[in-house]
Amino acid sequence: MAEDRSPRLAVLIDADNTSARIADGLFEEIAKIGEASVRRIYGDFSSSRMKGWNEILLSHAIVPQQQFAYTTGKNASDITLVIDAMDLLHSGRFDGFCLVSSDSDFTRLASRIREQGIDVYGFGEKKTPESFRQACRRFIYTENLLPETGPSPDKAPKHQPPSKATPLINKALEQLEIEEDAWVSLGVLGKQLSNLASDFDPRTFGSGKLSDLVRKTGAFEIDHPEGGTIRIRRKGAAGRKKG
């Protein structure tokens, strides 16, 4: 009997638009999704700007795709990445693609891969245009992948207050079309949040887990029976139902 294995992923990194500081966090995050079978990075590695990446390519087994910048303003790296992505897509060997860039030019690539029924996971900075973020099944902000101890406090990632997540959580609950006072399992809520916003991530609001974020908002009741799963509902929902 064939042994079950993790989804095979092709990881394609746009070095021109990605900091080498995220490398450790990036591959830890990708490991939660599946196996990074292909790891390629695109850029002009003869440039001093690529020093950070040059120092860690071996430690993460990333294969550099050298593209010399012969002409200013022409990005050969982007074109090569797209060509490679389409070749890998048509090989039929992969269950998903991880596109690491903050460049909106990859929006159509992400859409084309998903049209083929293959998942796309985007990784980029918070400045990434919405078009690219929404073209991915899930989008992870690279600020959430930076090490907690940065070179200086002013470069530490700035989190949004937990209260900012309340409207989104309420909207997800509404879309589930349940009774107002009904309990919802945290797993079901998490899946709906991902469907609603591809870039939803508790870490954006300073929480490591969805359960922590829900608690911090103070807007929901939480029930965690012994041996059972965590459930939530809006605060005061039971009272409003009776009234």
Side-chain angles (χ1 to χ4, degrees):
M1 183 176 178
E3 183 179 328
D4 290 340
R5 62 179 298 165
S6 299
R8 292 183 175 89
L9 304 173
V11 181
L12 308 178
I13 305 170
D14 173 14
D16 293 326
N17 284 285
T18 307
S19 168
R21 291 182 59 221
I22 71 160
D24 290 341
L26 172 67
F27 285 101
E28 286 176 10
E29 191 71 19
I30 290 173
K32 299 175 185 176
I33 304 169
E35 173 190 344
S37 302
V38 165
R39 306 179 181 203
R40 298 180 186 175
I41 188 167
Y42 302 79
D44 182 0
F45 297 96
S46 65
S47 168
S48 58
R49 293 191 304 109
M50 297 298 173
K51 182 181 178 182
W53 280 114
N54 284 328
E55 293 174 349
I56 62 173
L57 293 178
L58 286 177
S59 62
H60 288 286
I62 309 171
V63 179
Q65 305 295 306
Q66 172 63 32
Q67 296 297 318
F68 291 102
Y70 292 117
T71 307
T72 303
K74 300 294 183 182
N75 199 335
S77 297
D78 288 4
I79 296 172
T80 305
L81 189 156
V82 171
I83 292 172
D84 280 5
M86 295 310 294
D87 285 344
L88 293 169
L89 173 65
H90 291 300
S91 74
R93 294 184 290 119
F94 299 93
D95 303 298
F97 282 73
C98 297
L99 302 180
V100 188
S101 178
S102 303
D103 193 339
S104 63
D105 287 347
F106 294 114
T107 299
R108 183 65 188 111
L109 173 62
S111 298
R112 177 63 185 84
I113 293 172
R114 293 194 71 187
E115 286 171 5
Q116 203 72 18
I118 304 298
D119 290 332
V120 176
Y121 302 91
F123 296 81
E125 296 179 0
K126 291 180 181 178
K127 67 179 183 181
T128 304
E130 185 177 7
S131 58
F132 180 34
R133 289 187 276 120
Q134 295 304 323
C136 300
R137 176 188 173 188
R138 186 173 170 224
F139 193 89
I140 296 94
Y141 291 126
T142 52
E143 286 90 343
N144 291 330
L145 305 179
L146 290 168
E148 293 184 7
T149 53
S152 60
D154 63 314
K155 291 187 179 180
K158 294 179 174 59
H159 300 301
Q160 295 185 41
S163 59
K164 289 285 187 180
T166 301
L168 190 62
I169 295 173
N170 276 323
K171 189 171 184 179
L173 290 172
E174 289 171 7
Q175 290 183 344
L176 289 171
E177 298 182 350
I178 57 173
E179 293 291 332
E180 187 177 0
D181 63 340
W183 291 97
V184 177
S185 77
L186 199 67
V188 170
L189 174 64
K191 184 176 180 180
Q192 189 60 30
L193 283 166
S194 295
N195 292 337
L196 179 61
S198 63
D199 58 352
F200 176 78
D201 190 331
R203 291 171 295 188
T204 302
F205 306 93
S207 300
K209 298 183 295 184
L210 179 56
S211 57
D212 294 337
L213 174 59
V214 171
R215 286 190 179 93
K216 288 179 182 178
T217 65
F220 305 93
E221 294 179 33
I222 298 176
D223 178 45
H224 192 183
E226 187 175 350
T229 59
I230 299 176
R231 306 183 303 169
I232 80 158
R233 67 180 177 185
R234 297 182 185 89
K235 268 191 175 176
R240 289 193 297 272
K241 182 73 173 179
K242 290 177 182 177

